[in-house]
Amino acid sequence: MSRFFAEENSVDAVNARIGPDADARLSAVMTSLVKHLHAFIKDVHLTQDEWSAAIDFLTRTGQICSAERQEFILLSDTLGVSMLVDAINHRRPAQATENTVLGPFHVAGAPARDMGARISFDGKGEPCLFEGRVVDAHGRAVEGARIDVWSDNAEGFYDVQQPDIQPKWNNRGVFTTGKDGAYRFVGIKPVSYPIPHDGPVGKMLAALGRHPYRPAHMHFIVTANGFQAVVTHTFVGDDPYIGSDAVFGVKETLVAPFQRTDCGETLWRSPFDFVMTPLEG
Ligand code: BEZ
Ligand code: FE
């Protein structure tokens, strides 16, 4: 190999600089990154203007980030990277509940609520009873499971997007299962909404002819001692965006029934059981 950088030896020229004391995993990851990045640039024959546009895009992506906004995760989500990283790291048995994207609207510290309680306080939307059980692979109840839930309101906004309009902790709550592993709470039937699309990622989607919408869903994080955390949603199956989620979060097994009911205070009922996967080792 020549001592100097050239198109023909570009990958080796860069990777040869990694020092002997570099962390082995970092070295492996960066070696592969450089290999694929250089191959991509050669494959599309990236022009100087395109390279400048990419730098400008990444700069704007960083500049819009704040404590409330993480545009890089949105970029990862819209390119399918978040779902792929999750998929290769959470290969679960066939019956186990699958993960999907966390999204930017989870807020730690939501109020613990009594089983059966309401989580929706803005008076909007169609009340929906969410209920089911948290079980292990053998169908045995998991006691003490913590179920953290959150959704948008009937107008498609999370409380944190409208702090001056919605009540604090609107459409959020934390529930803990008892001996029977059962959970139950009253929210609203979720509605589809666009991911934040007023920044560089939104511009990218528009340029690609992609819409920014997510199909209606309820978010859940289910945790229990001895089990992998389940970070997931349940989806409304007849949503117009079910087949074109902007962040590729839909899985067949996460489409839940939403049944019209005439009894009690709720208009809808959505039954769904969470099947937990034991921690490895
Ligand atoms: C969400 O479902 O809250 C979400 C997920 C990914 C990107 C934006 C929003
Ligand atoms: Fe969401």
Side-chain angles (χ1 to χ4, degrees):
M1 179 176 83
S2 156
R3 283 201 295 149
F4 302 112
F5 184 100
E7 182 179 336
E8 297 72 29
N9 70 0
S10 67
V11 173
D12 293 340
V14 174
N15 284 337
R17 295 283 177 90
I18 298 175
D21 298 330
D23 175 81
R25 175 66 181 163
L26 176 67
S27 175
V29 169
M30 291 304 294
T31 299
S32 180
L33 175 67
V34 168
K35 183 175 99 183
H36 289 283
L37 196 55
H38 286 216
F40 152 73
I41 289 163
K42 290 170 185 174
D43 182 37
V44 300
H45 199 289
L46 200 71
T47 67
Q48 203 73 47
D49 284 349
E50 288 164 346
W51 178 85
S52 292
I55 295 292
D56 181 54
F57 173 80
L58 292 173
T59 303
R60 285 184 288 113
T61 298
Q63 284 169 340
I64 204 173
C65 288
S66 68
E68 289 79 39
R69 175 115 183 210
Q70 229 306 351
E71 194 79 356
F72 278 111
I73 296 185
L74 215 51
L75 180 59
S76 162
D77 294 344
T78 52
L79 293 180
V81 173
S82 306
M83 285 300 289
L84 183 57
V85 172
D86 184 72
I88 65 174
N89 286 288
H90 295 100
R91 297 182 181 126
R92 291 181 175 153
Q95 305 311 317
T97 302
E98 297 186 276
N99 274 6
T100 185
V101 279
L102 172 66
F105 298 121
H106 177 252
V107 182
R113 304 194 192 281
D114 291 338
M115 202 55 85
R118 216 152 45 94
I119 61 166
S120 186
F121 301 105
D122 60 356
K124 294 175 178 158
E126 299 182 333
C128 178
L129 174 67
F130 293 82
E131 63 178 345
R133 291 202 321 146
V134 181
V135 296
D136 68 11
H138 307 287
R140 294 180 297 226
V142 176
E143 182 181 3
R146 186 179 184 277
I147 307 178
D148 189 343
V149 304
W150 70 105
S151 82
D152 57 338
N153 76 351
E155 286 159 0
F157 295 102
Y158 289 86
D159 58 350
V160 289
Q161 294 176 289
Q162 297 185 313
D164 300 330
I165 297 174
Q166 294 191 37
K168 195 162 166 59
W169 303 118
N170 192 34
N171 292 305
R172 296 179 192 271
V174 176
F175 299 86
T176 303
T177 58
K179 271 196 161 15
D180 58 1
Y183 76 89
R184 195 160 26 89
F185 65 91
V186 179
I188 58 161
K189 184 173 185 233
V191 301
S192 41
Y193 65 86
I195 62 170
H197 60 111
D198 57 342
V201 169
K203 286 204 176 66
M204 177 192 78
L205 294 180
L208 292 172
R210 287 176 53 180
H211 70 71
Y213 281 85
R214 298 215 62 206
H217 56 273
M218 173 62 75
H219 289 262
F220 294 86
I221 298 178
V222 186
T223 50
N225 286 339
F227 295 97
Q228 295 178 21
V230 173
V231 179
T232 199
H233 321 338
T234 56
F235 289 92
V236 178
D238 60 1
D239 188 283
Y241 300 106
I242 198 74
S244 63
D245 184 358
V247 300
F248 307 97
V250 181
K251 291 178 177 175
E252 198 71 54
T253 59
L254 300 178
V255 176
F258 278 80
Q259 304 156 342
R260 190 94 192 174
T261 67
D262 282 329
C263 50
E265 54 167 324
T266 60
L267 275 179
W268 298 92
R269 172 177 175 266
S270 183
F272 192 86
D273 290 344
F274 295 93
V275 182
M276 307 297 283
T277 303
L279 288 171
E280 283 99 357

